Amino acid sequence: MKRIVVSWAVLGAAALLVAFAPFNLQPVTSNVERIFRVEAGDFAYSPAVLHVNPGDNVTIKLVATDVVHGLYVDGYDLSVIAEPGQPAVLSFTADRPGTFRLRCSVTCGALHPFMTGKLKVGTNLLLWRGIGLALLAFLGILTLRSPGLPIVH
Amino acid sequence: MNEKSARILAAVFLLGGLAALGISWRLGQADAVILHARMPEAGGWTPADLTVAAGQPLRLRLTSDDVMHGFAIGQSDQPAVDVEPGKVTNLTVIFDKPGTYTFYCTRWCGPNHWRMRGAIIVTGERVEQPVTPPLYAQLGLDIDARREAQTIPAGKPSTQRSAEIFAQFLLPSAQSYLSPGYYRSRSPEQVWQDLRDDPHWVHYSDLQLWDAVAYIWQANTTPEALAEARSLYARNCAACHGESGGGDGVFIGGQVQVQGEAHGFPPGYETVLPTDFTDPRHLLAVSPAHLQGKIIRGGMGTGMPMWGVIFTEEQTWALVSYLYTFQFEEVP
Ligand SMILES: [Cu+2]
Ligand SMILES: [Cu+2]
């Protein structure tokens, strides 16, 4: 019986740690230049997902391939407009970690509301925490299996 | 008059004043023209014709019924404004001179964006001015004829290379080569041939003479004109002709099918690709007058818009000199 209480306590503490510990995997010092060429056309961005690390200097060259399109970065509150033949450049420092939505800032046609993308700044902590918790749960199942079962010493 | 009636009188005046203000504001609103923008396939501008008297304000309330458009007036300094769905852009313009002006869309809103134009007729007493036809018409040039250069330089002509040859242009015998009249009416290839045939230049190599041709071009433009033309080109031409002039703009995939006859093609529908300005066989065979003529008049059915009503004459010459930068080494 005592064993089970101890197991519960250890597992619980580990779970709390995994879920809430302030891991700071990437100190904001990378300062790498990241240059993307993003084509905007046919109501989509290509590439639609941009990965950078916190602190990177990001440059996005937006190239419109059919009609005028824009690019608005949620959370950073930045935007540019590009005309066909006239690419526009957006430069900023990715100083806020997280995942931010990119969307077209110009009403460009019927499917304009669906013209979106993502800017991912930093490793996805949430994902790693999730995986950690799942592993813990698995471990829990192994160690805390129904107390009725005989445990062989 | 007792105090009470004085008060009533004051109140009446106040109300009357407010009402007058309100009415005049309503009137001011009422005489504004609501101008709707739609993609050309859906009707373009409505109304497409506006009329105003010279010297009178033309009040516009601009709005879009579909996507983002822009509004600007050809040959005027009025900065372009955006016209967006769900919003109203107020704009007041005054024309000093009677005549017909063209307003046009400034945002690349669809494949037919450049067809999105309308007219503003400014009434008033006209001072009749003699109209000079464009140079290509004066010269009787057939700007639809296909031309191909027989002689092209081995490398890119440069105004930076042969200092010695440029000293030649200080001689009185060479002065006429630098005049705008000469430069504008001859293709670079013809200029090169004239120099080749000139006994004064007999000691120079073929490439040196091409450098001299580039020098004549540069003497007929300015860094400011080239800078202005560069931005006009980026905004208005690069979508079709390409940022680097190669005729490979992002827009060519969507190039509208055009009727072939306009360009001497067999009848039927086909696509005419935008001119490749980086091809020396083409660009060195055509004169500034030819290029300006094409810009002013357009392709008449080929998909090349007509810009004569949008740009000033100076701007068209600036654009022409900019087009040659795709052939000649640029001014540093
Ligand atoms: Cu868009
Ligand atoms: Cu438009």
Side-chain angles (χ1 to χ4, degrees), chain A residues 37 39 61 63-69 81-87 105-110, chain B residues 39 66-68 82 84-85 106-111 113 231 234-236 238-239 243 250-251:
Chain A
R37 181 191 149 95
E39 291 200 354
K61 183 174 175 190
V63 180
T65 57
D66 46 12
V67 298
V68 54
H69 291 287
I81 291 184
E83 296 265 0
Q86 233 188 335
S105 55
V106 168
T107 315
C108 54
Chain B
M39 304 233 279
D66 44 30
V67 299
M68 184 198 244
D82 280 339
E84 293 175 76
T106 53
R107 289 292 189 187
W108 209 279
C109 53
H113 145 75
S231 86
R235 246 178 294 145
N236 301 288
E243 281 168 73
V250 289
F251 183 60

Side-chain angles (χ1 to χ4, degrees), chain B residues 195-210:
Chain B
L195 292 172
R196 189 72 292 173
D197 296 342
D198 185 335
H200 291 283
W201 298 81
V202 75
H203 306 297
Y204 297 109
S205 73
D206 285 357
L207 190 58
Q208 278 177 313
L209 291 189
W210 278 113

Side-chain angles (χ1 to χ4, degrees), chain B:
Chain B
M1 204 195 283
N2 60 22
E3 203 193 313
K4 196 178 169 195
S5 49
R7 276 200 186 157
I8 291 174
L9 205 68
V12 166
F13 278 153
L14 198 71
L15 279 177
L18 281 176
L21 258 174
I23 288 170
S24 66
W25 183 79
R26 291 284 299 184
L27 282 179
Q29 290 287 298
D31 79 353
V33 181
I34 302 176
L35 187 54
H36 289 264
R38 269 180 234 131
M39 304 233 279
E41 306 82 64
W45 298 103
T46 345
D49 294 301
L50 304 167
T51 307
V52 69
Q56 293 295 311
L58 173 62
R59 272 184 266 273
L60 296 171
R61 292 168 59 74
L62 303 154
T63 190
S64 165
D65 295 348
D66 44 30
V67 299
M68 184 198 244
H69 299 276
F71 174 94
I73 298 165
Q75 302 183 339
S76 95
D77 299 331
Q78 179 72 45
V81 290
D82 280 339
V83 182
E84 293 175 76
K87 289 188 193 162
V88 173
T89 308
N90 286 300
L91 185 70
T92 302
V93 282
I94 297 180
F95 295 87
D96 298 330
K97 287 199 209 102
T100 303
Y101 298 78
T102 298
F103 64 90
Y104 62 103
C105 179
T106 53
R107 289 292 189 187
W108 209 279
C109 53
N112 286 310
H113 145 75
W114 52 275
R115 295 179 196 270
M116 196 170 159
R117 295 180 177 179
I120 301 173
I121 295 137
V122 180
T123 56
E125 227 167 291
R126 287 190 87 144
V127 193
E128 282 310 322
Q129 277 171 345
V131 193
T132 29
L135 188 57
Y136 82 92
Q138 292 176 37
L139 296 171
L141 271 183
D142 174 9
I143 56 175
D144 294 314
R146 303 193 147 203
R147 292 186 170 77
E148 193 175 314
Q150 305 303 313
T151 321
I152 56 166
K156 218 177 188 190
S158 160
T159 55
Q160 304 307 309
R161 203 159 24 213
S162 335
E164 152 206 11
I165 198 171
F166 303 140
Q168 284 292 310
F169 283 109
L170 299 172
L171 301 177
S173 64
Q175 285 305 305
S176 60
Y177 286 124
L178 295 177
S179 77
Y182 176 80
Y183 156 75
R184 288 178 176 174
S185 58
R186 277 169 190 72
S187 70
E189 186 188 25
Q190 286 169 329
V191 173
W192 183 86
Q193 196 60 53
D194 285 355
L195 292 172
R196 189 72 292 173
D197 296 342
D198 185 335
H200 291 283
W201 298 81
V202 75
H203 306 297
Y204 297 109
S205 73
D206 285 357
L207 190 58
Q208 278 177 313
L209 291 189
W210 278 113
D211 289 350
V213 174
Y215 185 89
I216 293 172
W217 158 75
Q218 190 183 302
N220 277 282
T221 185
T222 61
E224 295 76 42
L226 288 177
E228 187 193 2
R230 178 190 306 281
S231 86
L232 289 177
Y233 181 89
R235 246 178 294 145
N236 301 288
C237 325
C240 291
H241 289 282
E243 281 168 73
S244 51
D248 54 355
V250 289
F251 183 60
I252 55 165
Q255 186 74 314
V256 259
Q257 301 252 300
V258 293
Q259 201 112 41
E261 289 112 301
H263 227 228
F265 291 107
Y269 286 94
E270 64 181 286
T271 306
V272 183
L273 290 181
T275 306
D276 173 1
F277 299 127
T278 61
D279 175 9
R281 294 242 174 248
H282 186 107
L283 207 65
L284 298 179
V286 287
S287 62
H290 170 114
L291 295 171
Q292 192 219 23
K294 211 44 167 286
I295 295 171
I296 291 179
R297 193 210 66 179
M300 311 261 278
T302 62
M304 165 66 186
M306 70 108 110
W307 299 98
V309 290
I310 307 288
F311 299 134
T312 62
E313 194 192 337
E314 246 171 68
Q315 287 173 323
T316 59
W317 285 123
L319 277 165
V320 167
S321 50
Y322 178 72
L323 296 185
Y324 288 115
T325 63
F326 297 121
Q327 289 301 324
F328 300 146
E329 209 67 67
E330 272 205 61
V331 201

Side-chain angles (χ1 to χ4, degrees), chain A residues 42-122:
Chain A
D42 214 2
F43 305 112
Y45 294 112
S46 147
V49 183
L50 310 180
H51 289 275
V52 301
N53 288 319
D56 284 353
N57 294 323
V58 184
T59 301
I60 299 175
K61 183 174 175 190
L62 185 68
V63 180
T65 57
D66 46 12
V67 298
V68 54
H69 291 287
L71 181 76
Y72 178 85
V73 187
D74 272 1
Y76 280 82
D77 201 18
L78 293 167
S79 71
V80 272
I81 291 184
E83 296 265 0
Q86 233 188 335
V89 172
L90 185 67
S91 295
F92 61 96
T93 305
D95 48 11
R96 310 165 106 217
T99 299
F100 304 93
R101 204 156 63 111
L102 306 174
R103 54 197 166 87
C104 183
S105 55
V106 168
T107 315
C108 54
L111 299 178
H112 158 70
F114 303 104
M115 190 161 172
T116 58
K118 270 184 195 144
L119 171 71
K120 295 191 169 178
V121 183

Side-chain angles (χ1 to χ4, degrees), chain A residues 117-128:
Chain A
K118 270 184 195 144
L119 171 71
K120 295 191 169 178
V121 183
T123 35
N124 201 332
L125 269 187
L126 222 62
L127 182 76
W128 288 111

